[in-house]
Amino acid sequence: MPASHTESGTQSVLSARNLTVGYGSFVLMHDVSFDVRPGDIFFIMGGSGCGKSTLLRVLMGLKEPAKGSVSFLNRPFWPGSLEDRYAARRRSGVLFQQGALWSSMTLAENVALPLEQYTTLSAGEIRSQALLKLALTGLAGFEDYYPSEISGGMRKRAGLARALALDPAVLFLDEPSAGLDPVSSRLLDDLIVELRNGLGTTFVIVSHELASIFSIATTCIFLDADTRRMTACGNPHDLLHDSATDPATLRFLTRGGETPVSGRTV
């Protein structure tokens, strides 16, 4: 089992310890432990069916693990009360694979929705915050467009703006590049780095896209479907060149003869 990469005394946004996740008696992953530090762009990587999205649901407080614990800002919520999980969700945001925007609402109305539900801001203040979040994601001028009127990449950005509405400490992204062309995918990667640098937001991202992993990940873990364990934890560039890296992780990082992005942009 790889050691946690968080040094003693360094506060973590998320901490997972000895997690076992699955469905009923079917176990996807055993003994998963890691820390997500403030400002990390943390990737959960692995092949199809290894349990990446299931683990994400556990970290979001939506699915209880069969075993183990999860803490958010040093406050445990697995195990914990429903109030503990609500408190963690209130400080987090989610970008779903397809954006999950309401088609009958404009982009500004989509972003305003969580502000209307969870704050006491006036209508004018909510509109102002919605426009700000859309501007931060490169959608200034598109506030009154409907999701059907913009491209897939722009819908992902609008979904990200809505996830930012409540100024979360951590953003969970489930396969954010799914369905995007390489150019749109790289622009989304660049936006994630800009938001991390500008707002200090921590990102936890499920992805199998090597271009994104090597370009923007500060830390990643690898879930091995064969052993049903987490077999690597660290920066992907370091894992690639470490002779002690697990063979399954190396095969994943070098699959198809793809060449890692040179240099680090984060």
Side-chain angles (χ1 to χ4, degrees):
M1 171 59 59
S4 165
H5 71 276
T6 299
E7 298 177 358
S8 177
T10 300
Q11 185 185 41
S12 297
V13 175
L14 274 171
S15 295
R17 292 291 178 269
N18 304 314
L19 289 180
T20 296
V21 299
Y23 296 92
S25 61
F26 179 74
V27 173
L28 285 165
M29 282 289 143
H30 295 276
D31 303 322
V32 176
S33 296
F34 57 84
D35 292 291
V36 180
R37 299 169 296 190
D40 261 349
I41 300 177
F42 186 97
F43 274 72
I44 301 171
M45 59 184 190
S48 298
C50 68
K52 301 187 298 296
S53 293
T54 301
L55 176 58
L56 192 70
R57 287 171 57 82
V58 171
L59 299 178
M60 291 164 56
L62 299 177
K63 178 174 174 54
E64 185 174 7
K67 180 182 176 183
S69 63
V70 181
S71 296
F72 181 81
L73 296 174
N74 293 330
R75 181 177 178 179
F77 63 84
W78 293 127
S81 67
L82 187 59
E83 289 182 354
D84 293 328
R85 292 190 288 282
Y86 279 155
R89 292 175 200 166
R90 177 64 178 77
R91 296 292 312 280
S92 61
V94 184
L95 173 61
F96 299 98
Q97 284 191 28
Q98 304 303 321
L101 299 171
W102 293 98
S103 60
S104 60
M105 293 181 173
T106 65
L107 302 190
E109 289 169 342
N110 268 280
V111 177
L113 189 59
L115 293 165
E116 293 169 350
Q117 292 182 323
Y118 297 108
T119 74
T120 58
L121 296 175
S122 68
E125 290 170 330
I126 288 174
R127 172 77 177 179
S128 177
Q129 283 296 309
L131 299 190
L132 172 62
K133 296 306 191 293
L134 287 165
L136 286 172
T137 55
L139 291 172
F142 292 90
E143 298 89 354
D144 297 318
Y145 281 60
Y146 288 89
S148 61
E149 297 175 324
I150 59 176
S151 69
M154 294 171 75
R155 284 194 290 273
K156 289 290 182 77
R157 286 172 173 261
L160 192 53
R162 186 179 59 187
L164 286 166
L166 297 175
D167 298 318
V170 61
L171 276 178
F172 296 102
L173 280 57
D174 189 7
E175 298 283 5
S177 298
L180 297 183
D181 61 81
V183 173
S184 297
S185 179
R186 182 54 194 259
L187 289 173
L188 184 60
D189 287 345
D190 291 343
L191 175 60
I192 289 168
V193 175
E194 289 172 10
L195 292 172
R196 190 281 306 269
N197 292 344
L199 302 178
T201 307
T202 301
F203 287 84
V204 177
I205 304 173
V206 164
S207 181
H208 64 275
E209 297 289 343
L210 290 184
S212 294
I213 291 167
F214 280 110
S215 178
I216 68 172
T218 58
T219 308
C220 60
I221 60 172
F222 180 75
L223 305 183
D224 182 14
D226 292 332
T227 62
R228 299 185 183 181
R229 295 183 183 277
M230 185 186 96
T231 56
C233 179
N235 182 278
H237 294 270
D238 296 337
L239 293 175
L240 186 66
H241 297 104
D242 189 343
S243 60
T245 297
D246 171 73
T249 307
L250 282 176
R251 285 195 298 272
F252 178 87
L253 292 174
T254 58
R255 68 188 190 276
E258 295 182 48
T259 303
V261 175
S262 61
R264 302 183 188 180
T265 62
V266 295

